[in-house]
Amino acid sequence: MDSQTSQPSQASQSPHTFQVDLRGLVDLLSHHLYSSPKVYLRELLQNAVDAITARRAEQPDAPAAVRLYAEGGTLRVEDSGIGLTESDVHSLLATIGRSSKREDGLQAARSDFLGQFGIGLLACFVVAERIRVVSRSARTPDAAPVEWTATDDGSYTVRTLPHEARPEPGTTVHLVARAGAGEWLTEERVRSLARDFGSLLPYDVRVGDEAIAELPAPWDRTHPSPATRRVALARHCHDLFGFTPLDTIDLNVPLAGVRGVAYVLPSAVSPAQRASHRVHLKGMLLTERAEQLLPDWAFFVRCVLDTDSLRPTASRESLYEDETLAAVREALGERIRSWLTGLAAGDPERLAAFLQVHHLGVKSLARHDNEMLRTMLPWLPFETTDGRLSLEEFALRHPVVHFTRTVEEYRQVAPIASAQGIGVINGGYTYDSELVEALPSVRPGTVVSELDADTVTAHLDAVDPAEELALSGFLMAARAKLDPLGCDVVLRAFHPLSVPALHLDDRAARHEQARAEAEEQADDLWAGILGSLRGSAPRARLVLNHLNPLIRRISSLRDPELIGTATESLYGQALLMAQRPLRPADSALLNRAFIGLLEWATHTEPGKDDLR
C-alpha cells in the first residue's frame, strides 16, 4: 500500500460540530424525559428561585420575589434574581446543556440550587411556540437590559433594550402558547401547578396577587397539643393523598437534611405494590412518585418530605440512586421501626389497630427480613390453642412450639391438644407456618416442631391392656370396616369426654391416600407406575375415646354389621368435626351409615342387639 494512502487525510482529522434539531429535541423532552407538559412551570419556578438564590449569595438583602401572570394564552414570570448580561444570554440560553450553576462564580453556592442540568428553559417549548426573556444583571448594574427571543424552529435573536425596559435587576420570561396547549397557560391551571410545585418554596411566590407558598411546612407548624397536631396532619394527608391515616410518623433526619412525615395507610395493601411518595427538593416539588425512598418493608405508609441532600435525575422527576439515597432510606426505615417500638411500649391499642389492618403484609415481609421479624415478633398475632397470641408469648408458655401446616389439621387436633396440655399454633393461614419455622433464627434455643398424628396419639392415655383385650373383637370389626378407606382404628383415653372419636392424619397419609385413589382409577400402565410409588407412610387413624359413654356402649355390641354401621358413623362425624373436605367415598359412607342407623332404630329383628 502506498505510504501516502496509508495516512489519514487532513480532512478526516478536522472536528465537526453536532447539529441539533430543536423540534426533535422538544419532542424528545416532552415524550421521554418529562412525564407531562406540566413540568414547564416547575422549570420556570426553578430558574427563578435559583436566580434569587444566586443573587442573595452575593447580596443577602436582595429582594426575593417571583410573580406569575397568565392571560389569553400567554404567561409572564418575573423574578428579582441575579439576571443576565448579553454575553450570558449567548453563552447560557442559546447553548443546550450549559447551566449558570456550573459557572465558576457560582460554584461555591451550587448546592443551594434546584437545577443542575441547564435544559430547564428549553422544556418550555413543550407548551410554547415562542419564548421571550428580558433580563438585567445584578452583577453588572450599568449593563443595559437584554432581550432574548427564541422560537421552536431553533432560531433566536438577541438585542439590548433601554434601561427603562427593566429598571431593576432580575428576569422576566414571556411564553406564547403553541397550538393545542393553551390550557396549560390559563390562570387557573398556572395557579394550580404553582401551588402544587411551590407550596414549600422559601421565597415570596405569587400568581397574580395570590400567595402560593404555605410556610412553615405542615410538619413544622406549632400546635397546642399532640392531639391537635395529629388532627392537622390527618387533614393535610386527606387533602394530599385522599385518605385519613391511621397514624402519622415524623421523619426528621437532620444529618441527611430531611424533614417530613409518613402517613400510615388505613386499609391493607399488597407489599408488592410500589408505594409512591412526594419529595420536595429545597422546597420545590420534585416528584409525586418516589418509589425508592423507603425500605421495601415500609409498604404501609405514604410520606411527604423536603430534602436538600438527595440528587435528582436529569428530568428532576425522580431520585438518583446513590450512597446518599441509600443512607437516607436506612435512616427513614429506622424512624418507622422506632415508631412501631414506641407504640408497643406506650400505646398498644394503636399498635393493635395497625396490625389488625396490616398484619398480613407485615408477616409477608417478615419471612424474608430478619430485622422486620425481630421488630414485629413480640406483637404479630397468631391463632393458637391458648387463644390469639404472639409467637413470643406462646414460646414463653410452651417448651416446644408445635404447629400445623393446614387449618384442617389444626381443627382436628386443637380441642384434644388443648385438653392434653399441648400448645399448638395454627400455621395454615398465609405465611404463618413459615414464620413459626423462622422463630429459632431470632429466638435462639426455641424448639419448633410440626405436629403430626403420631405426636398427638402419643400424648393420649393408653387403655388398660386387659380392657383393650376384652374389646379386641369390636376393634377387629371396626378396623375391617375402615380398612378400605385407608384408615386404622385405635383406642385411647383422652379429654374432653364429650368427643367420642378423633380423626388424625398427616400430609404423608393424605399423599398415600390420594395415590391409592388415583391407582384405582388409572389404566394398567399408570396403575403400575403409581403402584411402584406406594410408600410406607402412616395411614390415617380414627382414635376412639374410651372415656366417652357412647363409645363404651358401642364397644359392647356383638353384631359385626351393627358395629360396622356405628364405626362408619363415628368416622363420618369425626371428619365433619374436623371440617375436612369430604371425598366422594366419604359422602357415600355418611349416607350409608345414616340410613343404616335409621333402619336399626326403626326395625330390630329378633336376636339383634340394640343401642340401649
Side-chain angles (χ1 to χ4, degrees):
M1 181 181 290
D2 186 87
S3 60
Q4 290 183 341
T5 59
S6 65
Q7 297 295 325
S9 67
Q10 184 65 29
S12 66
Q13 298 183 37
S14 300
H16 297 277
T17 302
F18 282 102
Q19 301 298 312
V20 177
D21 180 354
L22 188 58
R23 279 197 176 96
L25 188 57
V26 169
D27 180 73
L28 180 66
L29 291 174
S30 59
H31 293 96
H32 299 282
L33 184 61
Y34 296 118
S35 62
S36 166
K38 70 180 182 180
V39 299
Y40 87 92
L41 191 67
R42 185 195 63 197
E43 300 297 338
L44 289 174
L45 284 176
Q46 185 168 276
N47 286 343
V49 169
D50 284 346
I52 293 172
T53 301
R55 184 176 181 186
R56 284 203 156 185
E58 301 177 5
Q59 304 172 17
D61 296 331
V66 181
R67 298 290 183 266
L68 297 90
Y69 304 96
E71 182 179 1
T74 64
L75 175 65
R76 185 172 86 254
V77 181
E78 300 177 352
D79 70 68
S80 59
I82 194 70
L84 301 170
T85 64
E86 184 175 356
S87 62
D88 292 335
V89 167
H90 285 287
S91 174
L92 302 175
L93 297 187
T95 305
I96 296 172
R98 180 173 293 176
S99 171
S100 63
K101 292 87 174 179
R102 298 190 178 97
E103 297 301 297
D104 292 339
L106 299 179
Q107 189 67 29
R110 183 181 176 195
S111 63
D112 294 328
F113 297 125
L114 301 174
Q116 306 285 333
F117 298 93
I119 57 175
L121 191 60
L122 191 62
C124 293
F125 281 121
V126 174
V127 298
E129 63 180 9
R130 183 163 61 90
I131 302 173
R132 176 171 168 258
V133 177
V134 177
S135 188
R136 183 169 183 173
S137 175
R139 288 179 180 155
T140 313
D142 296 335
V146 60
E147 178 191 67
W148 177 83
T149 304
T151 57
D152 60 3
D153 63 1
S155 63
Y156 71 92
T157 61
V158 178
R159 66 184 180 120
T160 58
L161 301 176
H163 284 276
E164 56 268 19
R166 178 81 199 193
E168 299 295 330
T171 300
T172 302
V173 179
H174 302 262
L175 300 185
V176 178
R178 65 169 55 251
E183 62 170 311
W184 293 102
L185 271 63
T186 62
E187 183 176 11
E188 182 180 357
R189 178 62 66 90
V190 168
R191 181 184 297 109
S192 174
L193 293 177
R195 186 179 293 115
D196 197 32
F197 286 121
S199 62
L200 300 183
L201 290 175
Y203 301 137
D204 180 16
V205 180
R206 296 175 183 268
V207 176
D209 296 327
E210 183 178 337
I212 296 303
E214 300 176 356
L215 297 178
W219 48 85
D220 287 331
R221 295 171 190 168
T222 57
H223 297 275
S225 68
T228 55
R229 182 175 186 270
R230 279 199 298 269
V231 171
L233 289 176
R235 188 180 305 113
H236 173 251
C237 175
H238 189 273
D239 294 341
L240 204 60
F241 294 115
F243 65 85
T244 300
L246 281 177
D247 207 348
T248 59
I249 308 169
D250 284 316
L251 301 178
N252 183 13
V253 188
L255 293 178
V258 172
R259 286 191 62 82
V261 63
Y263 296 114
V264 181
L265 293 167
S267 56
V269 294
S270 168
Q273 178 180 331
R274 299 295 293 180
S276 296
H277 310 289
R278 288 176 63 95
V279 178
H280 295 256
L281 180 62
K282 305 179 183 72
M284 180 73 73
L285 178 65
L286 180 71
T287 178
E288 300 172 280
R289 298 183 298 274
E291 296 182 346
Q292 69 274 47
L293 187 65
L294 296 181
D296 289 340
W297 58 261
F299 62 91
F300 48 83
V301 299
R302 298 291 180 270
C303 69
V304 53
L305 55 82
D306 188 24
T307 175
D308 58 16
S309 64
L310 299 178
R311 287 177 57 195
T313 59
S315 66
R316 290 184 288 279
E317 294 190 280
S318 59
L319 298 171
Y320 188 82
E321 185 69 48
D322 58 11
E323 293 181 357
T324 302
L325 178 58
V328 168
R329 182 162 50 233
E330 183 177 349
L332 295 180
E334 187 56 39
R335 292 292 183 277
I336 296 173
R337 280 196 182 96
S338 297
W339 168 77
L340 289 171
T341 303
L343 284 188
D347 201 338
E349 291 184 1
R350 283 165 64 197
L351 179 66
F354 164 74
L355 288 178
Q356 184 176 6
V357 175
H358 296 293
H359 69 277
L360 186 60
V362 172
K363 286 180 177 180
S364 171
L365 287 175
R367 294 178 304 157
H368 309 294
D369 187 333
N370 283 338
E371 189 63 32
M372 187 65 167
L373 180 62
R374 191 175 297 108
T375 299
M376 296 308 299
L377 181 63
W379 309 297
L380 282 176
F382 289 81
E383 182 181 355
T384 79
T385 50
D386 293 350
R388 199 161 181 80
L389 298 176
S390 69
L391 291 184
E392 178 72 18
E393 292 175 297
F394 188 84
L396 290 173
R397 298 185 182 188
H398 300 279
V400 178
V401 177
H402 290 289
F403 73 97
T404 63
R405 291 192 182 276
T406 68
V407 176
E408 290 80 7
E409 290 174 352
Y410 178 80
R411 288 170 177 165
Q412 286 182 63
V413 302
I416 308 304
S418 179
Q420 309 304 313
I422 308 172
V424 185
I425 295 175
N426 184 358
Y429 297 115
T430 308
Y431 312 129
D432 282 7
S433 61
E434 296 173 71
L435 289 175
V436 175
E437 288 181 300
L439 182 59
S441 66
V442 296
R443 196 178 188 276
T446 304
V447 179
V448 174
S449 175
E450 181 178 355
L451 189 68
D452 55 23
D454 287 336
T455 303
V456 176
T457 306
H459 279 78
L460 304 180
D461 293 335
V463 177
D464 181 85
E467 292 188 39
E468 186 168 2
L469 181 62
L471 299 176
S472 59
F474 163 76
L475 293 175
M476 185 177 300
R479 287 167 182 155
K481 195 67 176 179
L482 296 186
D483 183 70
L485 297 173
C487 183
D488 291 333
V489 177
V490 296
L491 187 66
R492 293 289 187 274
F494 56 88
H495 293 273
L497 300 180
S498 58
V499 177
L502 177 66
H503 181 269
L504 294 177
D505 63 0
D506 51 28
R507 284 176 298 158
R510 287 194 295 275
H511 283 310
E512 174 62 20
Q513 190 176 65
R515 186 209 58 76
E517 291 177 356
E519 182 180 355
E520 290 179 2
Q521 301 173 6
D523 56 27
D524 293 341
L525 174 61
W526 280 108
I529 295 175
L530 292 170
S532 67
L533 299 177
R534 184 181 296 109
S536 58
R539 305 208 310 168
R541 66 197 66 178
L542 181 68
V543 184
L544 303 180
N545 187 0
H546 188 55
L547 301 180
N548 181 269
L550 178 61
I551 295 298
R552 286 182 173 273
R553 294 173 62 187
I554 292 176
S555 63
S556 66
L557 296 174
R558 296 292 178 266
D559 188 312
E561 186 176 347
L562 183 54
I563 290 175
T565 300
T567 302
E568 287 181 332
S569 300
L570 291 171
Y571 174 83
Q573 188 262 357
L575 287 180
L576 293 174
M577 289 295 292
Q579 301 183 41
R580 290 288 306 278
L582 299 180
R583 299 169 297 163
D586 298 329
S587 298
L589 176 146
L590 281 172
N591 290 332
R592 184 171 63 250
F594 178 71
I595 293 174
L597 288 177
L598 286 178
E599 289 178 348
W600 280 100
T602 57
H603 178 70
T604 303
E605 298 179 9
K608 293 283 186 179
D609 291 321
D610 57 29
L611 299 180
R612 292 174 297 171

